Amino acid sequence: MLDACVFTIFGATGHLSRTKLLPALYRLDKAGRLPEATVILGLGRRDWDNSQWRAEVSKWLEERLGGSLDQEALDHFNQRLHFFSANIGDPDSSMRLRQLLDSGPEFPPNHVYYLSLPPSEYKAAADFLALSGLNQEQGGWRRLVVEKPFGYHLEDAQILDRHLHRNFTEQQIFRIDHYLGKETVQNIFVFRFANLMWEPLWNRNLIDHVQITHSEMAGIEDRADYYETAGALRDMIQSHLMQMLALVAMEPPATMDAESIRDEKVKVLKSIRPIPKAAVHAHAFRAQYTRGRVEGQDVPGYLDEEQVDKQSTTETYAALKLYIDNWRWRNVPFYLRTGKRLAKNSSLIAIRFKHPPQQLFRETQIAAVPPNWLLMGIQPEQCIRIEVQVREPGIGMRARTTQLDASTCYQAGYQLDAYESLLLDVIAGDHAQFLRSDEVEWAWRVVDPIIRTWSVEREFIHTYPAGSWGPEEADRIFEREDQQWRHSF
Ligand code: BG6
């Protein structure tokens, strides 16, 4: 049974709140998963009252959910919505917020504070809450949810962490990475650790390399402000892709509790071979999109996007090669890549096995038989497929590739979105799918040398036309010529 709470969204009118948080809360409410007395409090600078906020939220939900929006569910959800106009730099607003939250039974005693703000405002928001004692667990729990990126680089992340810990304990902090709420990402645990057959294969003896891709057709949308300071490496790789790497590479946890899982992930991140400054170009590649065509539409290049600096060398594409120096993975490359304005929307973990020691068969008369792949599709398709070779029917002994499909079937209707699952975990107080402070720090240690190198190399960046798969030069990070990006499931 979940506790009812006041779920306060800082930055309530921002992109994340509009596109992910409010739709997730609405869907949870519609499915009857939110405790009845739950209040959703939007906090923002605008001078709105509850009815304006409700009207705006209805509009955003309509834009986002269109036909699946249900009027009765929306009316119910609207009753939960309150708005509080505040400037987090203003001490008086903190006191007024405290008064509001203490004002009566309408507001339950447990509080989630969701910082849907630029990372540069996290410290101010935490101080704002502490100023009127809203961090203190008196009469109910207090939980602070922090979005990635947690800081801009290693040192900044350490400073931020120390700052948050002045007023909030580690138990109160939930560092969210919404990829940990995705169905296939959660399935990695079950697929790996509920099946005996993978364990003897899951290591450097049989795995040639691992690829983790996240490609998007969308550009930076209306997020230039944020993206100019982030870039693809911080936006996707340091967080989401590194988390997927940790789940693929980790040892089985002692139990499924939060500390056991996070201990194992930290061990993986700590074992990643540091990239020396001189090797950054051999391990990492960056590029930026120029204008091109996506889904039949002409789209502008990154430098022509609104609010982007014309000289910007912010990367919209990044690819990385990492090695994990432990017994299981030594010398197996992990290739991570992500990009905006690429040819397809696709998130995929692709594990390539080695070739059999002897090539007895041919796929056709000329081509060698391809190796086995394990494909874990995160989106748009949620799937798990194993590519194997079978005999081509007919005359002769030729091989053909086929797929064994272990995909979960979601035809039953309701699919939980990543944010829905994680917001419920916050309300339940379960940290298992949230990042611990040392985990974040170790992930920063991996990318920090690259960030440093790229931040001083501001004269040149490779480019790729929007709608392509990125520049061919990115292939230079592969160890061998027979290693290539896998685009499809
Ligand atoms: C966010 C990034 O964390 O993840 C975005 O900031 C990116 O740039 C998004 O588009 C991708 O998430 P999803 O769930 O749409 O794949």
Side-chain angles (χ1 to χ4, degrees), residues 274-283 449-450 452-453 456-457:
I275 301 176
K277 205 172 157 212
V280 164
H281 293 291
H283 282 259
I450 306 168
R452 283 174 193 284
T453 305
V456 290
E457 290 179 354

Side-chain angles (χ1 to χ4, degrees), residues 331-387:
N331 289 339
V332 176
F334 281 70
Y335 298 111
L336 275 46
R337 108 183 124 143
T338 187
K340 300 269 184 203
R341 288 282 188 231
L342 292 181
K344 252 173 60 177
N345 287 325
S346 169
S347 296
L348 171 67
I349 300 172
I351 300 179
R352 206 194 98 173
F353 289 85
K354 293 188 174 171
H355 281 285
Q358 196 180 0
Q359 285 280 352
L360 288 173
F361 309 105
R362 301 255 154 217
E363 185 186 42
T364 63
Q365 295 306 334
I366 40 162
V369 174
N372 300 118
W373 286 84
L374 170 63
L375 304 169
M376 306 180 100
I378 293 139
Q379 58 199 33
E381 219 187 321
Q382 295 165 358
C383 65
I384 300 187
R385 297 197 179 115
I386 301 146
E387 261 183 22

